[in-house]
Amino acid sequence: MNDKILVTGGSGYIGSHTTLALLQAGYDVVVLDNLSNSSAESLERLECICGIMPEFVKGDVRDRDLLDKIFTDHNIRAVLHFAGLKAVGESTQQPLDYYSNNVLGTVTLCQAMANANVLNLVFSSSATVYGDTTQMPLREDIPTSTPTNPYGRSKLMVEEILQDLAKSDPRWSIALLRYFNPVGAHQSGLIGEDPNGPPNNLLPYISQVAIGQLKQLSVFGSDYPTQDGTGVRDYIHVQDLAEGHLSALKAISLKPGINIWNLGTGIGYSVLEMIRAFELASGRTISYCVVDRRAGDIAECWASASKAENDLGWTAKRGLTEMVSDAWRWQEKNPNGYRR
Ligand code: NAD
Ligand code: UDP
């Protein structure tokens, strides 16, 4: 019998790509998602790509009775926990929603896992837990510092809760995966990022300008101490990220305790470099204007990717051209995302 994995938030952007990678690697998958920021259409598209649909349970990760039922009905070996809210700006307007979904959601999940004796967990953390340090590249042993917004603080809180949990009971095996900037889409163009309303993140914004849904990109600041004055980030192809989860899942089954891994490429690109790469891939001109810096943004941020490489044997394989070409293919084939 195949190992069965529970994927919370599995119909979302990163969750759907990781569910696909799990199915293709022979795992059985149960997806739990309340569809607050995604569409179940993404799971149907997985069937078009790999011929298998994961089992889907529509529900909330804070619903303890539902979690207990899932663990009773299925022989779950491990949980990949993506479910949560992720918009930095919105988190400052609705902090309680962020603490409820992200922190309470994780605590409820862990309680249900402990009750079911399922003690392998992979958690979606973020480079935001490094705060505004300027020590690049960011290594996992740099002390975390308090992020500037409720979203980031919820991620750091969960990291700390999970560290306490692992200390309290050595049978837990937990991976804290600190993502850098996930971009791109599966090369089929069938699944991808489908933001609700105007995107907050750079690449979906550029894509929507390219397709003509948005007029102009605002470049947030050109006076940073970087090569061209615009912000630099470590963009990582979502399929590389998905593969990183599979590697982490395998590693924690042999490595109890807390394991922290950056999932990034180790390479930073500026906003202007991203625009140029997208223009080349799409053959479209991206109209942009430079505006003031966005509050809370840092000048540059990229990962040290060597711990994941040493411990997991995983590195990101896809470069910038593949990231922007795949993002564009998804956008062109699905101008309205999953809404037909
Ligand atoms: P996403 O919004 O596409 O996916 C999250 C999924 O969780 C959605 O399908 C949503 O419907 C679901 N969800 C939200 N709250 C839920 C709840 N209470 N119960 C059940 N389902 C719930 O986001 P994503 O980009 O795929 O991000 C996945 C995870 O990775 C999130 O935890 C996010 O914070 C983290 N992360 C994302 C990024 C990024 O840039 N995309 C960067 C770092 C970390
Ligand atoms: N950015 C921008 N215009 C936008 C969105 C983002 O200039 O409409 C810049 C932002 O200032 C940062 C980079 O693009 O330098 C990546 O931003 P994003 O929001 O995608 O990721 P994060 O800030 O979380 O790293």
Side-chain angles (χ1 to χ4, degrees):
M1 204 174 67
N2 293 339
D3 280 354
K4 202 175 250 194
I5 309 297
L6 173 63
V7 180
T8 75
S11 63
Y13 173 45
I14 305 169
S16 58
H17 287 81
T18 306
T19 295
L20 175 63
L22 287 166
L23 294 171
Q24 289 178 324
Y27 291 95
D28 290 334
V29 179
V30 179
V31 165
L32 169 66
D33 200 303
N34 66 3
L35 304 182
S36 60
N37 195 41
S38 59
S39 158
E41 169 78 18
S42 65
L43 302 177
E44 284 167 31
R45 303 261 181 114
L46 296 187
E47 192 174 14
C48 302
I49 300 172
C50 72
I52 315 168
M53 261 271 275
E55 288 178 63
F56 176 54
V57 178
K58 182 174 180 220
D60 199 291
V61 76
R62 293 164 294 181
D63 182 343
R64 176 65 197 272
D65 291 341
L66 179 62
L67 289 171
D68 287 344
K69 181 166 167 28
I70 292 172
F71 287 115
T72 305
D73 290 352
H74 302 275
N75 187 19
I76 305 283
R77 295 292 172 85
V79 180
L80 302 194
H81 179 37
F82 297 95
L85 304 182
K86 64 165 181 178
V88 170
E90 184 185 67
S91 78
T92 63
Q93 304 301 316
Q94 301 166 22
L96 296 181
D97 286 344
Y98 276 70
Y99 292 122
S100 177
N101 280 277
N102 296 3
V103 182
L104 178 62
T106 307
V107 171
T108 309
L109 173 67
C110 289
Q111 285 169 332
M113 289 175 69
N115 184 56
N117 205 26
V118 176
L119 302 172
N120 285 4
L121 173 67
V122 177
F123 172 65
S124 300
S125 188
S126 164
T128 189
V129 302
Y130 292 112
D132 57 5
T133 174
T134 51
Q135 288 182 59
M136 297 299 145
L138 292 166
R139 290 167 44 109
E140 291 85 344
D141 54 6
I142 292 176
T144 54
S145 89
T146 307
T148 53
N149 56 77
Y151 166 71
R153 284 195 282 278
S154 75
K155 289 288 168 192
L156 185 56
M157 281 177 200
V158 170
E159 281 208 1
E160 288 171 347
I161 290 168
L162 295 178
Q163 306 219 25
D164 287 341
L165 181 61
K167 270 187 220 140
S168 74
D169 182 342
R171 293 173 308 149
W172 278 93
S173 292
I174 300 176
L176 306 179
L177 300 184
R178 294 178 178 163
Y179 309 160
F180 281 68
N181 290 58
V183 295
H186 186 261
Q187 71 269 15
S188 63
L190 287 170
I191 56 171
E193 188 169 9
D194 183 17
N196 256 334
N200 301 304
N201 295 112
L202 178 66
L203 210 59
Y205 207 106
I206 293 179
S207 305
Q208 293 194 13
V209 172
I211 202 82
Q213 278 174 356
L214 295 171
K215 271 210 162 76
Q216 193 173 52
L217 172 75
S218 297
V219 174
F220 298 141
S222 62
D223 57 351
Y224 285 108
T226 59
Q227 65 265 33
D228 59 23
T230 65
V232 168
R233 296 290 183 276
D234 183 338
Y235 297 92
I236 175 168
H237 197 296
V238 65
Q239 278 185 261
D240 281 322
L241 199 63
E243 287 162 14
H245 286 74
L246 264 66
S247 303
L249 183 64
K250 285 186 196 131
I252 61 166
S253 66
L254 309 169
K255 214 167 173 283
I258 278 279
N259 298 281
I260 304 179
W261 289 296
N262 287 337
L263 294 184
T265 64
I267 301 168
Y269 291 107
S270 73
V271 175
L272 295 182
E273 285 174 317
M274 296 305 286
I275 294 172
R276 266 182 234 117
F278 202 95
E279 286 182 333
L280 272 179
S282 64
R284 307 268 173 119
T285 302
I286 308 299
S287 165
Y288 70 87
C289 64
V290 175
V291 300
D292 287 347
R293 293 180 178 191
R294 181 171 67 180
D297 271 1
I298 54 175
E300 49 188 12
C301 167
W302 69 89
S304 161
S306 50
K307 184 164 185 280
E309 181 170 9
N310 293 337
D311 294 355
L312 306 176
W314 169 89
T315 51
K317 296 196 281 286
R318 297 162 180 87
L320 181 57
T321 305
E322 220 169 328
M323 295 182 212
V324 292
S325 305
D326 290 342
W328 175 236
R329 186 177 307 106
W330 156 254
Q331 183 69 64
E332 238 191 336
K333 284 179 91 159
N334 309 271
N336 301 311
Y338 291 112
R339 294 163 295 277
R340 295 181 222 229

